[in-house]
Amino acid sequence: MTSVLVVGKPYTMRNLFLFAVMGYIICLPAQIDFGGAFRIAPSDLFLMLGLFAAGLHLKLDPRQFSSWHWGMLFIFVLASFVSIWRNGFITQYALLQKDFGFILLLLTYIMLVQAVDSWDRLYKMLRAFLISVLIFNGVALFDFFSGVKVPFMVQDGRLSGMLIDPNAYGGLLVTAFAIHIMTSGDGVKLLRGWVSTLATISLAGGIIMTFSRSSWIGLFLVLLTLLLTNPSRLLKIGMGFSVAFGALLLYKGTAYLDVLGNMASRPSQIQSRLDIIGKAVEWIAQSPLLGIGLGSYNYELRIIIHNTPIWFMTEFGLLGLIVYGGFMIWFFIVGIRSYRAADRVNRPIIMALLLSHAAMIGLSMGIEALFQRYWWFMMAMNAACIRLTNTGWKGVKRYRTKGTEKSTGRNLRQQTEQAQQAQQAQ
């Protein structure tokens, strides 16, 4: 697999493919809402451009595209037929938002995986993601603190960014936070100096101001993992959240603590979520194996199940939940294999991707997170690492580029070269 070189394509098409990939990543924090009727993600436009540039040269490798991916596609098709059998039809929402949306996500995954042909490319893509998130979050924080209204950035006193949903936006920030905090120590630093410090504070402040309990669950999983694997990073995290929280109180005053308590608790919303899950459990009991069909819950009650595993169990049944669970676990297995095979320089970025995956699973306890594009971006980067850690794989560039050498320094570069020579000798 020649990855981004796109066999048989002219040089201009290769550049167009890379441009589309970077455009997709930069636009991940954005959606455009048209009065609640429908939303357009600019990233999807870049996806179409990337697929056009790649043509028929996108390839599937079993080390990066597993049977679990096919299993996920199968259960979506199966759940669609179950919906038709049960209701006599499948809703437009299920067909477009779920079925077609999932196919787009699979194509996105394939495109992003094949774009990574070197560690330097991986770092550039993740750096672009971080900088984009920081810019959008900076605008959202400016809206919150200045009172200058910027469309979409704040919803009912909660930061939502251009993802419109505060929970989805909170997940985006926690994902970016996991990537940033794990690459701010040893190895390749995606952000350096005062930019890194500012990123820690602004991301921490954004996570607080989303008041998203779902994203806080994801953050808790990140902190718990760091406590077990790298507790020294917790000090920097604690300082970042302390500064962000202190700035909030200085601006709003201590009276704002009551507002914080009310926004964080929202007991009426908790009861609403419990009612949603209670109804889902009733339908699970009626059809435990294959579920009630894709989109049936939304069609019956005009709401969605704000819990990804419960959603799968309800509409896809036990079979769907098993496939979904296997799909999620597969990325942990791939990440751990990459981590063990990687040299010391690149291990932090692999751990960061594993942490982001854990954070998204935490987020999925409070929303239907599977369709968040930035999660698929992280999964693709995770899978790409298994290719990069295999230096004998045709088409992989050696870890030695000018841009990356600036980040790592001469000593780390020498250690990397020595590790590669030893691995080749073996």
Side-chain angles (χ1 to χ4, degrees):
M1 180 171 59
T2 55
S3 183
V4 76
L5 296 181
V6 189
V7 175
K9 286 290 181 178
Y11 180 77
T12 53
M13 296 303 285
R14 180 179 74 90
N15 285 345
L16 181 62
F17 178 77
L18 289 176
F19 171 78
V21 168
M22 296 304 291
Y24 182 92
I25 295 169
I26 292 170
C27 292
L28 278 174
Q31 285 190 109
I32 302 175
D33 183 70
F34 292 88
F38 64 95
R39 299 174 183 175
I40 291 179
S43 289
D44 288 343
L45 301 180
F46 285 100
L47 170 62
M48 296 297 104
L49 181 62
L51 294 177
F52 166 76
L56 300 177
H57 297 279
L58 292 176
K59 298 181 180 180
L60 306 180
D61 190 281
R63 282 168 284 194
Q64 296 173 311
F65 196 95
S66 69
S67 57
W68 294 109
H69 293 73
W70 292 115
M72 289 289 290
L73 182 60
F74 169 75
I75 63 172
F76 268 85
V77 173
L78 179 62
S80 299
F81 279 106
V82 170
S83 181
I84 294 173
W85 174 77
R86 179 179 182 270
N87 304 317
F89 60 89
I90 183 171
T91 65
Q92 183 186 48
Y93 166 79
L95 190 60
L96 295 180
Q97 299 292 328
K98 302 300 184 182
D99 283 329
F100 184 68
F102 184 75
I103 293 174
L104 286 181
L105 290 173
L106 280 181
L107 292 173
T108 298
Y109 175 86
I110 297 170
M111 180 185 76
L112 292 173
V113 163
Q114 294 195 186
V116 183
D117 64 342
S118 66
W119 286 109
D120 191 45
R121 180 76 63 194
L122 176 74
Y123 291 127
K124 286 180 179 178
M125 292 167 69
L126 288 170
R127 186 178 288 113
F129 171 73
L130 276 182
I131 293 174
S132 178
V133 172
L134 288 175
I135 292 174
F136 277 92
N137 191 51
V139 175
L141 289 172
F142 172 78
D143 183 333
F144 182 85
F145 285 104
S146 69
V148 178
K149 301 302 296 180
V150 181
F152 312 125
M153 291 297 175
V154 178
Q155 304 287 336
D156 300 324
R158 303 170 63 191
L159 252 63
S160 59
M162 287 197 70
L163 291 184
I164 304 169
D165 178 13
N167 291 313
Y169 185 64
L172 173 74
L173 296 182
V174 172
T175 299
F177 190 80
I179 297 295
H180 164 62
I181 209 67
M182 283 304 300
T183 57
S184 60
D186 298 330
V188 180
K189 296 178 174 62
L190 296 180
L191 303 174
R192 298 189 294 272
W194 65 269
V195 177
S196 177
T197 302
L198 181 62
T200 304
I201 297 172
S202 64
L203 289 174
I207 292 170
I208 294 173
M209 298 315 300
T210 60
F211 297 103
S212 169
R213 292 180 296 250
S214 302
S215 66
W216 294 349
I217 295 174
L219 178 64
F220 173 76
L221 292 179
V222 171
L223 298 179
L224 180 62
T225 305
L226 287 175
L227 178 64
L228 299 175
T229 60
N230 199 336
S232 61
R233 300 293 171 89
L234 295 179
L235 178 62
K236 182 174 183 178
I237 294 175
M239 292 177 61
F241 275 93
S242 297
V243 172
F245 190 72
L248 177 63
L249 291 184
L250 284 174
Y251 180 79
K252 293 287 190 177
T254 55
Y256 194 70
L257 289 173
D258 293 335
V259 178
L260 288 173
N262 292 332
M263 291 290 288
S265 59
R266 302 196 302 279
S268 60
Q269 188 182 77
I270 294 177
Q271 184 58 50
S272 174
R273 296 289 177 87
L274 292 176
D275 293 340
I276 291 173
I277 293 176
K279 183 61 178 178
V281 170
E282 294 179 12
W283 275 333
I284 290 172
Q286 295 176 13
S287 183
L289 183 59
L290 297 179
I292 63 174
L294 189 63
S296 294
Y297 193 101
N298 176 265
Y299 171 73
E300 295 284 350
L301 300 179
R302 295 295 184 268
I303 54 176
I304 62 173
I305 304 172
H306 295 274
N307 184 298
T308 307
I310 297 295
W311 167 50
F312 266 86
M313 187 65 190
T314 304
E315 294 192 350
F316 299 82
L318 181 60
L319 176 63
L321 183 63
I322 292 174
V323 174
Y324 168 75
F327 183 64
M328 294 293 108
I329 294 172
W330 181 83
F331 286 99
F332 282 116
I333 295 173
V334 167
I336 292 171
R337 287 177 178 172
S338 300
Y339 184 85
R340 289 176 176 174
D343 52 61
R344 188 172 70 88
V345 175
N346 296 310
R347 281 187 171 182
I349 197 68
I350 299 174
M351 178 58 72
L353 292 169
L354 286 171
L355 283 179
S356 70
H357 190 55
M360 287 305 298
I361 289 178
L363 178 74
S364 70
M365 296 297 107
I367 66 172
E368 291 182 7
L370 183 66
F371 286 86
Q372 298 303 320
R373 294 171 181 82
Y374 55 86
W375 193 2
W376 285 82
F377 170 57
M378 292 301 155
M379 289 190 285
M381 296 301 97
N382 188 351
C385 289
I386 196 67
R387 175 172 181 249
L388 298 178
T389 52
N390 186 347
T391 56
W393 198 339
K394 183 180 178 181
V396 177
K397 298 178 182 177
R398 288 175 61 85
Y399 176 74
R400 187 171 183 176
T401 61
K402 183 177 179 181
T404 307
E405 287 175 0
K406 287 182 179 180
S407 299
T408 60
R410 181 176 298 175
N411 291 335
L412 288 175
R413 186 170 67 254
Q414 291 175 349
Q415 293 172 4
T416 302
E417 292 174 352
Q418 292 172 2
Q420 289 178 341
Q421 292 172 2
Q423 186 174 6
Q424 289 177 352
Q426 292 176 358

